[in-house]
């Protein structure tokens, strides 16, 4: 195991990694911008290094400064968390070139799965179901129109280097294709420096179901069941649960097998997630692979008893994962995660930075809160608006629904607007209670929710 690691991130994920490391006897180095100098993770770490001013491009995305911080503090490895540089192959390569271990997959894996068109072709070749789509990027409007006419509308334009919904456009009417194609390419170029797009047949009213995977250097490749992440706005998840209320045991096994095929196809190592779309007929299709730990990993931890961050550290240190002997995993109970963001749902989820004047998280059986804030903490306008994650676990979904309502009622955050009232309304919604939410849940239920 490592003696010391650097955490190249901020907020709740930085603290989550540091706590796991501490339990393994590993010292931690925090990096921070001038904006974050007084945040809890900076004080919690054994050492802390300022890497630049508030803008992320000059601090948390500043690869030379992060590498230098690791070298000057004697860290042996770097954990990128999620967001920022977590899926940046150049950063992973820079770590390796400077004799630092990147706690994640190889740069080659990050590149092959980061290009969505290439990833789709790779999955198709290894027998993982994929949505009917174009063979590679479509360089002209005419090519896009020809494909859309052949496969039939509606279609989905997707940035090959995309993520978070950027460079993605639904097209239901042929008359709209040219404008949406150009808009998607422009957005993709601005967001990712790559304006390549491809087309897929649009799966109507799907569920977003993903499989958590772990793989080490000793031939262990396992799935930790699935998560249902269908409640999202603008392709950003808000509520996640495990297991999915839509999956039968047979479908769960099939999806797990497909996820392991994906892992083997790219010789994957460390933690990752294979994401699928599940249609109304129970057919599932590969969507993308996230080559990092995800925000919603705690719900998988709650139903399997596996500490995913600790396993990441073991795998990166060249050790076998400790949970392989327990595979295959079956869900133990049910869990949900609610993302508590500094946003105003009543006004289009508008960010609401500011100072928290009162922070009192809930407690009790089956309640887990991951956060980096306290009373007096400031939510910065420079970064992600997440304040906390509320995770509840119970013996079945009904208990989790009840426990979630109780915990949300107890959760007190004052001084800023948050998504707590939104989550309370989700848990009062009949469609969600029935386990029938699809990715259009917020759009179709907006009147009820807001």
């Amino acid at each position: 195991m490592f003696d010391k690691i650097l955490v190249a991130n901020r907020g709740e994920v930085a603290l989550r990694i540091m706590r796991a490391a501490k339990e393994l006897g590993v010292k931690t180095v925090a990096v921070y911008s001038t904006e974050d100098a007084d945040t809890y993770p900076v004080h919690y770490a054994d050492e802390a290094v300022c890497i630049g001013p508030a803008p992320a491009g000059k601090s948390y995305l500043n690869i030379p400064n992060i590498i230098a911080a690791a070298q000057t503090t004697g860290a042996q490895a770097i954990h990128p968390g999620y967001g920022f540089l977590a899926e940046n192959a150049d950063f992973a390569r820079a770590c390796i070139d400077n004799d630092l271990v990147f706690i994640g997959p190889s740069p080659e894996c990050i590149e092959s799965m980061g290009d969505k068109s290439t990833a789709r072709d790779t999955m198709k070749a290894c027998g993982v179901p994929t949505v009917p789509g174009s063979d590679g990027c479509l360089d002209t409007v005419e090519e896009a129109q020809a494909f859309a006419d052949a496969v039939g509308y509606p279609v989905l334009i997707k940035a090959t280097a995309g993520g978070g919904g950027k460079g993605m456009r639904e097209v239901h009417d042929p008359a709209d294709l040219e404008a949406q194609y150009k808009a998607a390419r422009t957005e993709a170029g601005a967001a990712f420096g790559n304006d390549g797009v491809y087309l897929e047949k649009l799966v109507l009213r799907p569920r977003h179901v993903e499989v958590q995977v772990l793989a080490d250097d000793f031939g262990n490749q396992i799935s930790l069941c699935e998560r249902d992440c269908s409640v999202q706005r603008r392709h950003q998840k808000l509520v996640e649960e495990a297991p999915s209320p839509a999956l039968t045991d047979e479908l769960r096994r099939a999806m797990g097998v497909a996820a392991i095929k994906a892992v083997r196809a790219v010789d994957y190592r460390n933690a990752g997630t294979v994401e699928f779309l599940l249609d109304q007929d129970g057919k599932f299709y590969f969507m993308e692979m996230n080559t990092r730990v995800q925000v919603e990993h705690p719900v998988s931890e709650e139903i399997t008893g596996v500490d995913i961050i600790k396993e990441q550290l073991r795998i990166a240190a060249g050790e076998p994962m400790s949970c392989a002997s327990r595979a295959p995993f079956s869900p133990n109970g049910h869990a949900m995660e609610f993302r508590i963001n500094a946003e105003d749902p009543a006004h289009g989820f508008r960010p609401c930075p500011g100072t928290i004047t009162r922070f009192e998280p809930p407690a009790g059986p089956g309640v887990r809160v991951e956060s980096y804030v306290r009373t007096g903490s400031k939510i910065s306008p420079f970064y992600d608006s997440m304040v906390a994650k509320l995770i509840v676990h119970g013996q079945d979904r009904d208990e989790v629904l009840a426990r979630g309502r109780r915990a949300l009622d107890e959760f007190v955050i004052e001084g800023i607007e948050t998504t707590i009232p939104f989550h309370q309304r989700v848990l009062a919604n009949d469609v969600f209670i029935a386990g029938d939410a699809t990715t259009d849940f917020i759009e179709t239920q907006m009147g009820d929710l807001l």
Side-chain angles (χ1 to χ4, degrees), residues 191-342:
F192 312 114
N194 180 345
D195 69 350
V197 298
Y198 64 102
L199 261 67
E200 285 183 349
K201 176 69 176 175
L202 180 63
V203 180
L204 295 173
R205 303 195 67 244
R207 299 180 80 112
H208 180 142
V209 181
E210 58 191 32
V211 178
Q212 174 72 56
V213 295
L214 288 169
D216 62 21
D217 291 321
F218 297 85
N220 299 308
Q221 300 160 327
I222 65 171
S223 66
L224 297 176
C225 305
E226 82 286 350
R227 301 184 286 255
D228 196 311
C229 309
S230 299
V231 178
Q232 48 188 261
R233 52 108 173 95
R234 295 191 293 274
H235 305 283
Q236 295 290 321
K237 303 164 187 172
L238 289 169
V239 180
E240 303 98 353
E241 64 178 300
S244 169
L247 263 59
T248 62
D249 289 340
E250 181 181 6
L251 189 52
R252 178 170 296 110
R253 283 191 294 269
M255 204 172 275
V257 167
I260 296 303
K261 280 185 181 179
V263 167
R264 291 172 178 163
V266 294
D267 196 25
Y268 196 84
R269 297 290 187 275
N270 216 270
T273 303
V274 185
E275 302 196 346
F276 298 99
L277 291 177
L278 177 66
D279 71 14
Q280 298 291 307
D281 297 322
K283 296 178 182 177
F284 63 90
Y285 307 95
F286 173 81
M287 181 166 53
E288 63 182 1
M289 185 173 189
N290 291 125
T291 53
R292 53 172 168 78
V293 71
Q294 289 193 261
V295 177
E296 59 271 22
H297 76 274
V299 293
S300 296
E301 294 182 329
E302 292 298 323
I303 66 164
T304 62
V306 174
D307 188 314
I308 293 171
I309 303 296
K310 287 183 181 178
E311 297 295 1
Q312 283 193 291
L313 296 178
R314 292 187 181 103
I315 293 167
E319 301 175 8
M321 66 178 88
S322 67
C323 61
S325 62
R326 295 168 50 201
F329 286 86
S330 296
N332 177 23
H334 203 93
M336 287 185 188
E337 176 181 284
F338 306 93
R339 300 193 190 192
I340 311 301
N341 298 333

Side-chain angles (χ1 to χ4, degrees), residues 87-88 98 129 138 168 237 321 370 380 384 390 403 437:
E87 292 180 286
N88 186 308
N98 287 277
L138 299 171
M168 186 181 295
K237 303 164 187 172
M321 66 178 88
E370 294 197 354
S380 171
D384 183 83
L390 168 64
R403 185 160 285 162

